[in-house]
Amino acid sequence: QMSNKVCVVAGGCGFVGTHLCLRLLKEGCHVIALDNLCTTHSSNVDTLKRAAEDLPGKFQWVDHDISVPLPGDAISCEAVDEVYNLACPASPPHYQKDPLFTLRTGFQGTMNMLELAKKYDATMLQASTSEVYGDPHVHPQTEDYWGNVNPFGVRSCYDEGKRVGETLCLEYHRMHSVKIRVIRIFNTYGPYMHPFDGRVVSNFIRQALAGEDLTIYGEGQQTRSFQYVDDLIEGMLRMSRNPQGFIGPVNVGNPNEFTVKQLAEQVVSLTGAKSSIRHLPLPKDDPTQRQANISLAKRELDGWEPKVQLKEGLLKTVEYFKTVDMEKYKDHLQQLVSKIEN
């Protein structure tokens, strides 16, 4: 069923944003992607433009930092139906490079997107994160758990930026009746990840394909639940469009829990690599456990649950990484670092 919805996707050319825009274009939506490419590669823009070649006027990329208000002429449509706020550096190396930018994006950027939703009476989906739970004392994590977050550490710019983003959504809903939807995304992986983004899945696959040793921080006994990106996109759309007016927050993740060491062993097995495992010191405030309780999502989002399990998703991601020009992305990483440092 084709749609004529107008959808604004902040962070629309990032890893998750690219998948969301592709899905919306497939539905026939008019998609406006806001992205200044601060942590992503322009090849994702090219991917989206190619997908829209037979859909004239259906895709627009606006080179924009959402922590700055949108220019009046940035959106030419008379109406906007859905706003998706995915914009924010999400991997520790990226968000720790410029913590003030990360905080501005989490606070001012979210406020600007809420103002956009308010202006057009659009539904606004806020992509929050399992990082709001910090290093949890409750396992698995449910939405009523307030978390164990260090507000004065190296990860605080991201964790607290996302927490205040949720608060902004709630207050815009209470004070201005903005139709908010808040999801808490757990570790997600898949094609269009930046191979040098510092996330554990992309690190392991890139290292294995290059014949390098896989680097594990600590002993690798910390746990994560890994969600394939297609399952996330389905959950996002069900949340954004749920007819009950359910605002969340709601966990969207795969509840199957693995240690980081188990993930490394799977990647080595699936790639046929001869890599060994090299241990590095554990980063400060790195969570020891992370597992999604998705009971609320199943109940409120029409039975949503992940369909793609780890082995299948890793195989798809490995095949994608085999097609990637790693040198191009490596050069891009150096450009990003220079841009941030200057």
Side-chain angles (χ1 to χ4, degrees):
Q1 184 176 355
M2 300 302 281
S3 169
N4 288 317
K5 291 179 181 289
V6 177
C7 304
V8 174
V9 183
C13 303
F15 157 48
V16 174
T18 297
H19 283 272
L20 177 59
C21 288
L22 287 170
R23 172 73 179 267
L24 293 171
L25 286 169
K26 189 175 180 180
E27 291 182 354
C29 299
H30 181 115
V31 178
I32 302 167
L34 311 178
D35 205 309
N36 65 349
L37 308 185
C38 71
T39 59
T40 194
H41 196 275
S42 60
S43 59
N44 286 1
V45 181
D46 298 335
T47 296
L48 292 169
K49 287 181 176 178
R50 284 195 299 272
E53 281 178 353
D54 297 327
L55 302 166
K58 286 287 190 177
F59 177 73
Q60 177 187 3
W61 166 50
V62 180
D63 185 353
H64 181 71
D65 171 5
I66 67 160
S67 67
V68 178
L70 268 171
D73 59 350
I75 296 177
S76 56
C77 303
E78 293 183 1
V80 172
D81 299 291
E82 297 172 349
V83 176
Y84 296 86
N85 184 26
L86 282 60
C88 189
S91 71
H94 286 164
Y95 68 64
Q96 291 173 18
K97 273 292 181 183
D98 189 345
L100 294 177
F101 173 72
T102 302
L103 282 164
R104 280 197 306 274
T105 304
F107 182 81
Q108 193 62 55
T110 299
M111 184 174 284
N112 287 336
M113 291 302 98
L114 285 162
E115 285 290 336
L116 182 69
K118 177 185 169 187
K119 175 182 177 181
Y120 287 100
D121 191 28
T123 300
M124 153 92 169
L125 183 134
Q126 171 73 359
S128 191
T129 170
S130 61
E131 296 296 331
V132 301
Y133 299 123
D135 190 7
H137 293 159
V138 171
H139 192 75
Q141 293 78 58
T142 53
E143 291 83 354
D144 58 359
Y145 176 53
W146 291 357
N148 175 43
V149 175
N150 179 3
F152 203 70
V154 294
R155 301 171 69 100
S156 306
C157 60
Y158 183 69
D159 298 3
E160 297 293 7
K162 285 296 187 178
R163 284 162 71 96
V164 78
E166 290 193 12
T167 305
L168 280 168
C169 288
L170 176 62
E171 297 308 335
Y172 266 76
H173 175 68
R174 288 172 10 127
M175 296 182 68
H176 302 297
S177 300
V178 174
K179 295 172 288 188
I180 63 163
R181 306 286 189 269
V182 178
I183 63 170
R184 292 174 177 166
I185 301 172
F186 283 67
N187 291 65
T188 303
Y189 67 97
Y192 306 120
M193 296 182 81
H194 195 301
F196 292 92
D197 65 6
R199 291 182 171 101
V200 65
V201 173
S202 48
N203 276 355
F204 285 172
I205 294 177
R206 175 177 52 78
Q207 290 169 338
L209 292 178
E212 301 171 358
D213 290 342
L214 274 60
T215 52
I216 284 183
Y217 296 96
E219 295 303 312
Q221 294 308 306
Q222 61 270 47
T223 67
R224 300 290 185 268
S225 50
F226 298 101
Q227 168 179 233
Y228 189 66
V229 65
D230 287 356
D231 289 326
L232 169 61
I233 298 305
E234 180 65 26
M236 292 176 76
L237 291 176
R238 290 196 193 190
M239 180 60 174
S240 177
R241 297 167 181 175
N242 82 80
Q244 298 85 5
F246 171 60
I247 67 171
V250 63
N251 293 335
V252 179
N254 191 314
N256 294 333
E257 185 181 20
F258 297 88
T259 67
V260 170
K261 185 178 180 183
Q262 287 174 322
L263 173 68
E265 291 167 349
Q266 281 223 38
V267 169
V268 169
S269 173
L270 293 174
T271 57
K274 305 299 182 184
S275 306
S276 299
I277 291 176
R278 182 163 59 98
H279 294 272
L280 296 176
L282 193 66
K284 186 173 174 55
D285 296 332
D286 192 53
T288 55
Q289 289 184 308
R290 190 61 59 74
Q291 182 186 17
N293 181 313
I294 60 169
S295 300
L296 184 62
K298 286 183 180 180
R299 185 169 72 245
E300 297 289 346
L301 305 182
D302 194 25
W304 175 89
E305 61 182 334
K307 304 297 184 187
V308 181
Q309 297 309 318
L310 186 60
K311 183 177 179 180
E312 179 187 353
L314 286 176
L315 282 169
K316 292 179 179 182
T317 310
V318 167
E319 290 307 307
Y320 167 76
F321 268 60
K322 287 179 180 178
T323 70
V324 169
D325 181 349
M326 294 295 176
E327 289 303 314
K328 178 175 69 175
Y329 279 87
K330 194 172 184 178
D331 291 343
H332 177 249
L333 177 68
Q334 296 304 317
Q335 292 170 14
L336 289 178
V337 171
S338 298
K339 181 179 179 182
I340 290 170
E341 289 178 346
N342 293 330

